[in-house]
Amino acid sequence: MTARRLDKGGRIDRSAPVDFTWDGNTLSGYAGDTLASALMANGERVLGRSFKYHRPRGIMSAGVEESGAIVTVGEGARREPNVKATLQELYGGLCASGQNAWPNVRFDLGAVNGLFSRFFAAGFYYKTFMGLPPFEWGHGTGLWMQYEKLIRKAAGMGTASREPDPDFYDHVHAFCDVLVVGSGPAGLRAALTAAQAGRDVLLVEQDFELGGDYLNDPGAEMHRLELINAVKGAGVRVMTRTTAFGLYDHGVAGLLEKVTDHLANPDPELPRQRFWTVRAAATILATGALERSIAFENNDHPGVMTAAAARGYLNRYGILPGKKIVISTTNDSVYAAAADLATAGAEVIVADIREETGVGLPDGVTILNGAAPLRALGRSGVKGVDLAKHTNGSWVPTGKEACDLLLVSGGWSPVVNLSSHRGAKPVWNDAQACFLPGTTSEPIFHSGSSAGIWNRENCEVSGERAARQAIGENEKSLQPGG
């Protein structure tokens, strides 16, 4: 992956440079960056290591689903391990480092474990180290605890500080008529509709900006701002940097608000984080969907990323994440990203597993129909990809494409976790190839992509419908959970 910051574009504030440190080296980003985007702009590719084999890991997404860029943030008593770099807002003086590696994530001696991978079957830890075969000596809790220390060092987890926590935390109770989780097209419209009907509305968003997918599309900026201004003008209470982590009995929701985690010099009178217990008469889940990866050899290498994430880094952070890009897809959603990346100067090839598509090919983009990735080439970064075609019931190699970035899109999975907390069992939908939220008798309503709706205009319509159902209008038009 040969990423570079573009001279213009993105939502970052180029007039406000921000210095931070990564593994002891001082780097620079801008206000509006995440740690992940700033590291990408500085050419950092390997940000983590896998557990057990210590394989190199890079940035694989742009959001909460990140599985590669897991880092440690802070020093001393404020050291916090296992932070997703894609969620960490950049601020001056931020100190971050890799974890689960020695001496560092770029050159990790633990990678020698990979040489013995054929002997390390899944689950080998708990049986192998109860004793040392063939003599089986060392039985007992004491020796097992010594083995456990070694196992935990290889398990990919960072090390928390042993010093007393110098910060303090709040616990607050709140009430509202309608709780809206997510501020994308559906969430903004739902909050606005309920507020205009005279309801007390609380809108929560885990990002530091409102807009969801609108943030990744410069052409939607005017509409985004109009919606946000209308939402605030209608009296909606808005909470950014706030994650809804659970739904419980009687309309109770658990929220975690990051109050000062994004500040270089926080007010000592403010808590670091605030735990909210919110009781809502109705809850609207506009939590969106996550782009799925595709299974192939080395699909976890640095330089393999979801297509939507690449579009986000380009349009939100002003970073062209690669020069020569191959996009592997099973669906139409990648073509907008392909067009944006090609316009920004990248050479783009789309390997579409389908023999025919109903989408017009963007200018500057080459398409390979019926092709899928067989293996990503390279170690600490992608150098190319071997492609295959499905012929006579099996996959046959068809050639190699050189690239420095491999984007994947295996479809989308609606985020249905919160309604599942209340017993709404997800239902598989063959037509959309994803699980859709199940029904529940409680006043919980999905809208937008979390309900399997993909067009933005339709997402806004679904947000309005969910809001009207939540406040008791059009009761027969939408079932709870749907």
Side-chain angles (χ1 to χ4, degrees), residues 106-121:
R106 291 166 297 283
F107 179 75
D108 178 20
L109 292 179
V112 70
N113 289 356
L115 300 177
F116 304 98
S117 60
R118 69 181 61 188
F119 305 110
F120 291 167

Side-chain angles (χ1 to χ4, degrees), residues 195-208:
Q196 288 178 335
R199 301 308 195 272
D200 179 20
V201 181
L202 178 61
L203 173 64
V204 300
E205 169 58 56
Q206 67 183 2
D207 204 337
F208 54 88

Side-chain angles (χ1 to χ4, degrees), residues 254-303:
L255 313 178
L256 181 65
E257 178 189 11
K258 296 180 179 179
V259 181
T260 63
D261 282 345
H262 62 290
L263 301 177
N265 299 296
D267 185 339
E269 299 299 321
L270 290 176
R272 179 178 178 183
Q273 297 174 353
R274 186 176 287 125
F275 178 98
W276 289 80
T277 299
V278 176
R279 292 167 175 83
T283 300
I284 298 174
L285 301 178
T287 45
L290 301 180
E291 193 168 26
R292 297 194 293 262
S293 185
I294 295 175
F296 54 91
E297 187 176 342
N298 297 330
N299 69 343
D300 57 356
H301 272 14

Side-chain angles (χ1 to χ4, degrees), residues 14-292:
R14 297 173 190 271
S15 67
V18 175
D19 290 335
F20 67 101
T21 61
W22 168 248
D23 275 347
N25 299 315
T26 299
L27 304 175
S28 182
Y30 294 102
D33 265 325
T34 62
L35 176 60
S37 65
L39 289 172
M40 181 185 293
N42 280 277
E44 297 288 340
R45 293 186 297 181
V46 180
L47 305 185
R49 290 279 170 170
S50 72
F51 88 105
K52 191 160 73 172
Y53 298 142
H54 288 235
R55 289 160 59 92
R57 291 285 188 269
I59 299 170
M60 305 185 76
S61 73
V64 69
E65 68 271 32
E66 179 59 33
S67 60
I70 310 298
V71 303
T72 295
V73 171
E75 295 179 295
R78 288 189 169 88
R79 185 173 73 240
E80 182 179 0
N82 309 322
V83 174
K84 297 184 178 186
T86 51
L87 298 181
Q88 175 60 57
E89 193 172 345
L90 195 67
Y91 61 85
L94 172 66
C95 177
S97 60
Q99 58 187 40
N100 188 40
W102 189 86
N104 56 60
V105 291
R106 291 166 297 283
F107 179 75
D108 178 20
L109 292 179
V112 70
N113 289 356
L115 300 177
F116 304 98
S117 60
R118 69 181 61 188
F119 305 110
F120 291 167
F124 83 100
Y125 300 140
Y126 305 103
K127 295 180 179 179
T128 304
F129 290 106
M130 289 299 182
L132 287 180
F135 306 106
E136 297 297 328
W137 62 269
H139 288 286
T141 302
L143 193 57
W144 162 247
M145 294 301 291
Q146 299 305 312
Y147 292 139
E148 186 181 38
K149 292 178 182 179
L150 298 176
I151 293 169
R152 288 182 63 84
K153 282 183 176 295
M157 299 294 100
T159 304
S161 173
R162 295 291 185 178
E163 301 177 33
D165 190 341
D167 299 309
F168 70 97
Y169 306 83
D170 269 355
H171 182 191
V172 181
H173 292 265
F175 302 84
C176 62
D177 294 325
V178 180
L179 170 66
V180 180
V181 182
S183 71
L188 288 173
R189 182 61 65 181
L192 178 59
T193 301
Q196 288 178 335
R199 301 308 195 272
D200 179 20
V201 181
L202 178 61
L203 173 64
V204 300
E205 169 58 56
Q206 67 183 2
D207 204 337
F208 54 88
E209 284 193 280
L210 301 178
D213 191 52
Y214 282 143
L215 296 171
N216 301 325
D217 183 1
E221 179 62 8
M222 183 175 295
H223 182 62
R224 184 188 78 92
L225 291 176
E226 289 175 352
L227 267 178
I228 291 173
N229 290 334
V231 163
K232 293 180 178 179
V236 175
R237 290 181 285 162
V238 176
M239 293 175 60
T240 55
R241 304 181 178 92
T242 303
T243 300
F245 60 81
L247 296 183
Y248 307 96
D249 293 340
H250 310 299
V252 174
L255 313 178
L256 181 65
E257 178 189 11
K258 296 180 179 179
V259 181
T260 63
D261 282 345
H262 62 290
L263 301 177
N265 299 296
D267 185 339
E269 299 299 321
L270 290 176
R272 179 178 178 183
Q273 297 174 353
R274 186 176 287 125
F275 178 98
W276 289 80
T277 299
V278 176
R279 292 167 175 83
T283 300
I284 298 174
L285 301 178
T287 45
L290 301 180
E291 193 168 26
R292 297 194 293 262

